[in-house]
Amino acid sequence: MKIAVIGTGYVGLVTGTCLAETGNEVVCVDNNAEKVAKMKNGEVPIYEPHLDVLFERNIKANRLRFTTSLDEGLEHGDIIFLALPTPEDEDGSADLSYVLNVSEEIGKKIKDYRVIVDKSTVPVGTAEKVQAVIAKNASCEFDVVSNPEFLREGFAVDDFLKPERIVVGSSSDRATTLMKKLYAPFVRSGNPVIIMDEKSAELTKYAANSFLAAKITFMNEIANYCEKVGADVDMVRVGMGTDSRIGKRFLFPGIGYGGSCFPKDVKALQKAGKDADHDFAILDAVIKVNKKQKTILIPKVAAHFEGNLKGKKIAIWGLAFKPETDDIREAPSIDIMKSLLDKGADLSVFDPEAMPNIKKQFGDSLTYCNAMYDALEGADALVICTEWSIFRAPDFTRMKQLLKQPTIFDGRNLYNVDDLDAEGFAYVSIGRKEVK
């Protein structure tokens, strides 16, 4: 099939590349000429495991092409995916200007039947808006479909190629048939393609992300309570996770959620509720608790140093909002580092992928290290913000030699409390006993 993908951000690039991998001819459109030139030369603009292999293979096979010309993309694609930004507006709502501006151009340019697919995360009613904007100028038939993505950064290629489910919001039999044909290679094992109306499909994405954010936030609240009463959150988590009604995923406490989806989607659904005169009290609480959770380690760090962090060197392991990505959007590390800098600390940082993005924001206020152990040299303490695999089994003897004080503030509960006690570390984590 002939596919056009408008927008080559995280979702658009993964979508286009994975659709090409099953034999479709894909043209990806982006208005950033420099970015397009780099992609034509085989340079992947984002870090995502396994994407580079598929990217290179499909470019060589001429199944994946890039252009700055919207006309070229619309002429090529029978199915046109809109994978455009929907950034958070000042009031928490999703900004649809990119989606609607491109939709207006689509209406002016399409000459034959096309299926326009909203792949971006968009509020309920967006498909209707896109339909209306295109219809103002269109001289041919078209359909608008809602097809939300459920891609986890760090696992996006596997999620696309082997999806748990595919949600298609469509009121057109013609468009539905095409979408089922397009996705058939991805669901050969029997995972469902769920057909529903457009509004329900749009809400499904927001509902799923908001529920997971609430689950994370609830577990963080339980972890904080564990510290006050002397319970162990690891034991509580295992006890809860074996209940099939709850499940074991998203029960790991830490320093809050971040990224491109959960913060934005929760706020967008909260704002949509207010617009519909509906009070999402649970989302109000989720947002409030998560904001507080991001800096929950700071008072503990300050207390350890008797309230004086001026001139203290603090090492930071992990800057991305989660492992296997270079994405720092809403990352807890940002709040933690800003607070530590405000208190006069000097920071030496390491992340396998996210340091270039952090440097754009923090500039020379941080010391950027090429290796994880380099960040520890002469540091008074280590703060762990992201659970990269390389941090899970470190050389504790070497760490003690490099640190001025063997002190770890673990925002992701990577280590066993008793093991760190035996190693001679002061160790503070989330929802578990402290080792002093």
Side-chain angles (χ1 to χ4, degrees):
M1 300 177 75
K2 292 186 176 182
I3 309 297
V5 179
I6 315 301
T8 60
Y10 174 79
V11 172
L13 193 58
V14 172
T15 297
T17 303
C18 290
L19 288 174
E21 180 68 10
T22 54
N24 299 295
E25 297 177 22
V26 180
V27 171
C28 292
V29 182
D30 199 288
N31 62 4
N32 186 326
E34 182 180 356
K35 183 179 181 181
V36 168
K38 289 180 178 179
M39 290 189 291
K40 284 182 175 180
N41 289 328
E43 184 176 332
V44 184
I46 60 172
Y47 174 76
E48 180 63 38
H50 314 304
L51 181 62
D52 54 346
V53 176
L54 274 61
F55 186 85
E56 181 179 352
R57 179 161 64 217
N58 285 285
I59 289 176
K60 286 182 177 178
N62 292 318
R63 291 191 297 266
L64 181 62
R65 296 188 286 116
F66 303 94
T67 181
T68 57
S69 170
L70 182 60
D71 289 35
E72 182 181 346
L74 298 180
E75 186 175 344
H76 169 85
D78 296 319
I79 300 177
I80 300 164
F81 283 86
L82 303 184
L84 296 157
T86 55
E88 180 185 333
D89 222 330
E90 289 184 3
D91 61 1
S93 62
D95 180 356
L96 295 178
S97 59
Y98 296 98
V99 172
L100 297 179
N101 288 342
V102 169
S103 297
E104 187 161 5
E105 292 301 309
I106 289 172
K108 295 174 183 177
K109 297 176 184 295
I110 55 173
K111 300 173 183 177
D112 301 295
Y113 176 76
R114 295 288 187 268
V115 176
I116 315 301
V117 182
D118 282 333
K119 198 66 176 171
S120 307
T121 300
V122 293
V124 173
T126 300
E128 283 184 350
K129 293 180 179 179
V130 170
Q131 177 87 23
V133 168
I134 295 175
K136 284 194 304 182
N137 300 297
S139 57
C140 61
E141 291 186 2
F142 67 94
D143 284 308
V144 176
V145 168
S146 177
N147 175 218
E149 53 85 15
F150 298 96
L151 306 179
R152 298 169 296 162
E153 293 189 42
F155 303 92
V157 171
D158 282 346
D159 286 345
F160 199 103
L161 296 178
K162 294 176 283 188
E164 289 184 339
R165 82 293 198 199
I166 294 169
V167 172
V168 174
S170 173
S171 54
S172 162
D173 290 341
R174 184 178 182 182
T176 299
T177 298
L178 284 173
M179 295 299 290
K180 284 182 175 180
K181 180 180 178 182
L182 177 66
Y183 281 123
F186 302 98
V187 292
R188 295 180 63 208
S189 62
N191 287 352
V193 177
I194 306 169
I195 308 299
M196 60 181 72
D197 64 274
E198 296 89 338
K199 288 184 177 180
S200 296
E202 291 163 342
L203 183 53
T204 295
K205 173 61 184 289
Y206 279 117
N209 277 355
S210 296
F211 177 77
L212 295 177
K215 193 174 180 182
I216 292 169
T217 304
F218 177 81
M219 205 62 209
N220 283 332
E221 286 279 69
I222 292 295
N224 298 338
Y225 179 66
C226 284
E227 292 183 11
K228 294 183 182 299
V229 299
D232 187 326
V233 74
D234 282 348
M235 298 296 99
V236 176
R237 174 177 57 80
V238 172
M240 290 176 63
T242 50
D243 186 329
S244 61
R245 298 167 301 171
I246 296 173
K248 60 185 179 181
R249 297 182 64 192
F250 292 90
L251 290 182
F252 291 88
I255 47 177
Y257 61 77
S260 60
C261 294
F262 285 5
K264 179 171 70 72
D265 292 355
V266 173
K267 290 176 186 175
L269 186 54
Q270 178 199 42
K271 178 60 167 59
K274 290 179 180 177
D275 292 344
D277 197 25
H278 176 76
D279 182 15
F280 269 121
I282 192 168
L283 297 187
D284 296 342
V286 166
I287 293 167
K288 181 180 178 181
V289 170
N290 191 63
K291 183 178 180 180
K292 181 180 178 182
Q293 194 73 19
K294 286 185 175 184
T295 57
I296 199 161
L297 283 179
I298 297 300
K300 299 178 180 183
V301 175
H304 179 82
F305 292 105
E306 298 179 345
N308 183 18
L309 285 168
K310 190 171 181 61
K312 298 295 183 183
K313 181 178 179 181
I314 308 295
I316 306 288
W317 277 2
L319 304 172
F321 86 93
K322 72 172 191 175
E324 300 301 333
T325 182
D326 60 355
D327 194 341
I328 63 168
R329 285 174 286 186
E330 301 275 354
S333 65
I334 293 174
D335 297 81
I336 287 172
M337 290 190 296
K338 285 180 178 178
S339 182
L340 290 172
L341 288 171
D342 287 344
K343 294 180 184 301
D346 299 319
L347 305 183
S348 57
V349 305
F350 172 77
D351 187 283
E353 297 294 337
M355 286 195 293
N357 290 334
I358 283 289
K359 193 167 186 177
K360 292 175 185 176
Q361 184 167 341
F362 282 84
D364 295 332
S365 62
L366 309 175
T367 299
Y368 303 91
C369 301
N370 294 323
M372 56 189 276
Y373 293 111
D374 291 350
L376 303 184
E377 191 165 358
D380 294 283
L382 166 66
V383 175
I384 300 174
C385 295
T386 313
E387 63 274 32
W388 284 93
S389 295
I390 58 171
F391 302 151
R392 291 186 180 276
D395 183 339
F396 290 114
T397 300
R398 185 177 179 185
M399 292 172 71
K400 286 179 70 175
Q401 292 170 346
L402 291 169
L403 288 163
K404 283 184 183 178
Q405 304 176 37
T407 304
I408 300 175
F409 297 90
D410 184 357
R412 297 301 177 186
N413 287 12
L414 292 188
Y415 310 128
N416 180 278
V417 174
D418 292 334
D419 289 347
L420 268 289
D421 192 7
E423 292 282 355
F425 279 83
Y427 181 62
V428 178
S429 54
I430 308 294
R432 305 184 296 182
K433 68 178 181 181
E434 293 186 12
V435 176
K436 297 181 179 179

